[in-house]
PDB file of all heavy atoms in Angstrom:
ATOM      1  N   LEU A 277      -4.503  14.442  26.237  1.00  0.00           N
ATOM      2  CA  LEU A 277      -4.566  15.827  26.713  1.00  0.00           C
ATOM      3  C   LEU A 277      -5.023  15.823  28.172  1.00  0.00           C
ATOM      4  O   LEU A 277      -5.838  15.002  28.577  1.00  0.00           O
ATOM      5  CB  LEU A 277      -5.568  16.617  25.843  1.00  0.00           C
ATOM      6  CG  LEU A 277      -5.207  16.711  24.367  1.00  0.00           C
ATOM      7  CD1 LEU A 277      -6.301  17.441  23.605  1.00  0.00           C
ATOM      8  CD2 LEU A 277      -3.864  17.410  24.179  1.00  0.00           C
ATOM      9  N   SER A 278      -4.475  16.749  28.939  1.00  0.00           N
ATOM     10  CA  SER A 278      -4.915  16.881  30.337  1.00  0.00           C
ATOM     11  C   SER A 278      -4.776  18.334  30.794  1.00  0.00           C
ATOM     12  O   SER A 278      -4.037  19.119  30.201  1.00  0.00           O
ATOM     13  CB  SER A 278      -4.084  15.959  31.239  1.00  0.00           C
ATOM     14  OG  SER A 278      -2.735  16.398  31.274  1.00  0.00           O
ATOM     15  N   ASP A 279      -5.521  18.672  31.865  1.00  0.00           N
ATOM     16  CA  ASP A 279      -5.416  20.015  32.457  1.00  0.00           C
ATOM     17  C   ASP A 279      -4.213  20.096  33.393  1.00  0.00           C
ATOM     18  O   ASP A 279      -3.546  21.106  33.479  1.00  0.00           O
ATOM     19  CB  ASP A 279      -6.664  20.318  33.309  1.00  0.00           C
ATOM     20  CG  ASP A 279      -7.911  20.308  32.466  1.00  0.00           C
ATOM     21  OD1 ASP A 279      -7.868  20.773  31.332  1.00  0.00           O
ATOM     22  OD2 ASP A 279      -8.949  19.789  32.956  1.00  0.00           O
ATOM     23  N   GLU A 280      -3.995  18.973  34.093  1.00  0.00           N
ATOM     24  CA  GLU A 280      -2.959  18.933  35.137  1.00  0.00           C
ATOM     25  C   GLU A 280      -1.864  18.005  34.713  1.00  0.00           C
ATOM     26  O   GLU A 280      -2.128  17.082  33.917  1.00  0.00           O
ATOM     27  CB  GLU A 280      -3.599  18.358  36.435  1.00  0.00           C
ATOM     28  CG  GLU A 280      -4.802  19.107  36.949  1.00  0.00           C
ATOM     29  CD  GLU A 280      -4.414  20.397  37.631  1.00  0.00           C
ATOM     30  OE1 GLU A 280      -3.283  20.447  38.163  1.00  0.00           O
ATOM     31  OE2 GLU A 280      -5.209  21.353  37.602  1.00  0.00           O
ATOM     32  N   PRO A 281      -0.625  18.131  35.230  1.00  0.00           N
ATOM     33  CA  PRO A 281       0.437  17.177  34.914  1.00  0.00           C
ATOM     34  C   PRO A 281      -0.051  15.741  35.173  1.00  0.00           C
ATOM     35  O   PRO A 281      -0.701  15.486  36.169  1.00  0.00           O
ATOM     36  CB  PRO A 281       1.557  17.552  35.863  1.00  0.00           C
ATOM     37  CG  PRO A 281       1.347  19.014  36.135  1.00  0.00           C
ATOM     38  CD  PRO A 281      -0.148  19.214  36.123  1.00  0.00           C
ATOM     39  N   ALA A 282       0.244  14.869  34.217  1.00  0.00           N
ATOM     40  CA  ALA A 282      -0.303  13.506  34.314  1.00  0.00           C
ATOM     41  C   ALA A 282       0.806  12.458  34.448  1.00  0.00           C
ATOM     42  O   ALA A 282       0.577  11.282  34.249  1.00  0.00           O
ATOM     43  CB  ALA A 282      -1.152  13.215  33.063  1.00  0.00           C
ATOM     44  N   GLY A 283       2.015  12.945  34.769  1.00  0.00           N
ATOM     45  CA  GLY A 283       3.118  12.006  35.012  1.00  0.00           C
ATOM     46  C   GLY A 283       3.694  11.383  33.746  1.00  0.00           C
ATOM     47  O   GLY A 283       4.330  10.343  33.823  1.00  0.00           O
ATOM     48  N   ALA A 284       3.469  12.006  32.573  1.00  0.00           N
ATOM     49  CA  ALA A 284       3.987  11.456  31.327  1.00  0.00           C
ATOM     50  C   ALA A 284       5.469  11.836  31.174  1.00  0.00           C
ATOM     51  O   ALA A 284       5.928  12.818  31.752  1.00  0.00           O
ATOM     52  CB  ALA A 284       3.188  11.978  30.145  1.00  0.00           C
ATOM     53  N   GLU A 285       6.215  11.055  30.379  1.00  0.00           N
ATOM     54  CA  GLU A 285       7.641  11.352  30.134  1.00  0.00           C
ATOM     55  C   GLU A 285       7.793  12.669  29.389  1.00  0.00           C
ATOM     56  O   GLU A 285       8.772  13.382  29.554  1.00  0.00           O
ATOM     57  CB  GLU A 285       8.287  10.211  29.363  1.00  0.00           C
ATOM     58  CG  GLU A 285       8.496   8.978  30.206  1.00  0.00           C
ATOM     59  CD  GLU A 285       8.725   7.730  29.372  1.00  0.00           C
ATOM     60  OE1 GLU A 285       7.834   7.359  28.592  1.00  0.00           O
ATOM     61  OE2 GLU A 285       9.800   7.158  29.506  1.00  0.00           O
ATOM     62  N   ASN A 286       6.820  12.978  28.520  1.00  0.00           N
ATOM     63  CA  ASN A 286       6.817  14.271  27.844  1.00  0.00           C
ATOM     64  C   ASN A 286       5.477  14.941  28.068  1.00  0.00           C
ATOM     65  O   ASN A 286       4.414  14.291  27.980  1.00  0.00           O
ATOM     66  CB  ASN A 286       7.028  14.084  26.331  1.00  0.00           C
ATOM     67  CG  ASN A 286       8.425  13.638  26.002  1.00  0.00           C
ATOM     68  OD1 ASN A 286       9.372  14.425  26.141  1.00  0.00           O
ATOM     69  ND2 ASN A 286       8.578  12.397  25.577  1.00  0.00           N
ATOM     70  N   SER A 287       5.546  16.236  28.328  1.00  0.00           N
ATOM     71  CA  SER A 287       4.332  16.974  28.622  1.00  0.00           C
ATOM     72  C   SER A 287       4.546  18.393  28.093  1.00  0.00           C
ATOM     73  O   SER A 287       5.367  19.122  28.598  1.00  0.00           O
ATOM     74  CB  SER A 287       4.156  16.988  30.136  1.00  0.00           C
ATOM     75  OG  SER A 287       2.817  17.047  30.454  1.00  0.00           O
ATOM     76  N   LEU A 288       3.855  18.713  27.013  1.00  0.00           N
ATOM     77  CA  LEU A 288       4.064  20.032  26.377  1.00  0.00           C
ATOM     78  C   LEU A 288       2.859  20.929  26.702  1.00  0.00           C
ATOM     79  O   LEU A 288       1.717  20.552  26.460  1.00  0.00           O
ATOM     80  CB  LEU A 288       4.148  19.897  24.854  1.00  0.00           C
ATOM     81  CG  LEU A 288       5.333  19.174  24.265  1.00  0.00           C
ATOM     82  CD1 LEU A 288       5.184  19.109  22.737  1.00  0.00           C
ATOM     83  CD2 LEU A 288       6.636  19.872  24.634  1.00  0.00           C
ATOM     84  N   ALA A 289       3.164  22.114  27.216  1.00  0.00           N
ATOM     85  CA  ALA A 289       2.102  23.090  27.452  1.00  0.00           C
ATOM     86  C   ALA A 289       1.661  23.656  26.106  1.00  0.00           C
ATOM     87  O   ALA A 289       2.508  24.076  25.300  1.00  0.00           O
ATOM     88  CB  ALA A 289       2.624  24.198  28.360  1.00  0.00           C
ATOM     89  N   CYS A 290       0.358  23.651  25.839  1.00  0.00           N
ATOM     90  CA  CYS A 290      -0.159  24.030  24.526  1.00  0.00           C
ATOM     91  C   CYS A 290      -1.435  24.874  24.629  1.00  0.00           C
ATOM     92  O   CYS A 290      -2.107  24.848  25.677  1.00  0.00           O
ATOM     93  CB  CYS A 290      -0.559  22.776  23.723  1.00  0.00           C
ATOM     94  SG  CYS A 290       0.750  21.646  23.368  1.00  0.00           S
ATOM     95  N   THR A 291      -1.742  25.558  23.540  1.00  0.00           N
ATOM     96  CA  THR A 291      -3.020  26.285  23.424  1.00  0.00           C
ATOM     97  C   THR A 291      -3.854  25.636  22.324  1.00  0.00           C
ATOM     98  O   THR A 291      -3.308  25.387  21.229  1.00  0.00           O
ATOM     99  CB  THR A 291      -2.749  27.747  23.034  1.00  0.00           C
ATOM    100  OG1 THR A 291      -1.805  28.289  23.961  1.00  0.00           O
ATOM    101  CG2 THR A 291      -4.040  28.577  23.093  1.00  0.00           C
ATOM    102  N   VAL A 292      -5.096  25.371  22.589  1.00  0.00           N
ATOM    103  CA  VAL A 292      -5.970  24.783  21.583  1.00  0.00           C
ATOM    104  C   VAL A 292      -6.282  25.807  20.506  1.00  0.00           C
ATOM    105  O   VAL A 292      -6.689  26.927  20.802  1.00  0.00           O
ATOM    106  CB  VAL A 292      -7.281  24.266  22.216  1.00  0.00           C
ATOM    107  CG1 VAL A 292      -8.249  23.761  21.139  1.00  0.00           C
ATOM    108  CG2 VAL A 292      -6.997  23.185  23.239  1.00  0.00           C
ATOM    109  N   THR A 293      -6.050  25.467  19.231  1.00  0.00           N
ATOM    110  CA  THR A 293      -6.298  26.415  18.154  1.00  0.00           C
ATOM    111  C   THR A 293      -7.502  26.024  17.292  1.00  0.00           C
ATOM    112  O   THR A 293      -8.056  26.837  16.589  1.00  0.00           O
ATOM    113  CB  THR A 293      -5.069  26.541  17.222  1.00  0.00           C
ATOM    114  OG1 THR A 293      -4.678  25.234  16.807  1.00  0.00           O
ATOM    115  CG2 THR A 293      -3.912  27.210  17.941  1.00  0.00           C
ATOM    116  N   ASN A 294      -7.893  24.738  17.353  1.00  0.00           N
ATOM    117  CA  ASN A 294      -8.996  24.313  16.493  1.00  0.00           C
ATOM    118  C   ASN A 294      -9.489  22.932  16.942  1.00  0.00           C
ATOM    119  O   ASN A 294      -8.716  22.147  17.491  1.00  0.00           O
ATOM    120  CB  ASN A 294      -8.535  24.226  15.043  1.00  0.00           C
ATOM    121  CG  ASN A 294      -9.645  24.570  14.072  1.00  0.00           C
ATOM    122  OD1 ASN A 294     -10.815  24.598  14.450  1.00  0.00           O
ATOM    123  ND2 ASN A 294      -9.282  24.825  12.827  1.00  0.00           N
ATOM    124  N   THR A 295     -10.759  22.640  16.676  1.00  0.00           N
ATOM    125  CA  THR A 295     -11.252  21.284  16.922  1.00  0.00           C
ATOM    126  C   THR A 295     -12.155  20.891  15.756  1.00  0.00           C
ATOM    127  O   THR A 295     -12.782  21.757  15.118  1.00  0.00           O
ATOM    128  CB  THR A 295     -12.093  21.187  18.209  1.00  0.00           C
ATOM    129  OG1 THR A 295     -13.227  22.030  18.086  1.00  0.00           O
ATOM    130  CG2 THR A 295     -11.292  21.573  19.430  1.00  0.00           C
ATOM    131  N   ARG A 296     -12.158  19.608  15.446  1.00  0.00           N
ATOM    132  CA  ARG A 296     -13.052  19.089  14.399  1.00  0.00           C
ATOM    133  C   ARG A 296     -13.703  17.834  14.922  1.00  0.00           C
ATOM    134  O   ARG A 296     -13.011  16.874  15.289  1.00  0.00           O
ATOM    135  CB  ARG A 296     -12.246  18.738  13.149  1.00  0.00           C
ATOM    136  CG  ARG A 296     -12.073  19.881  12.184  1.00  0.00           C
ATOM    137  CD  ARG A 296     -11.404  19.409  10.912  1.00  0.00           C
ATOM    138  NE  ARG A 296     -10.122  18.777  11.147  1.00  0.00           N
ATOM    139  CZ  ARG A 296      -9.630  17.771  10.440  1.00  0.00           C
ATOM    140  NH1 ARG A 296     -10.321  17.252   9.441  1.00  0.00           N
ATOM    141  NH2 ARG A 296      -8.449  17.264  10.707  1.00  0.00           N
TER     142      ARG A 296
END
Side-chain angles (χ1 to χ4, degrees):
L277 299 177
S278 66
D279 298 322
E280 303 284 331
E285 287 162 298
N286 290 291
S287 210
L288 294 177
C290 299
T291 308
V292 175
T293 52
N294 213 344
T295 62
R296 272 186 303 146

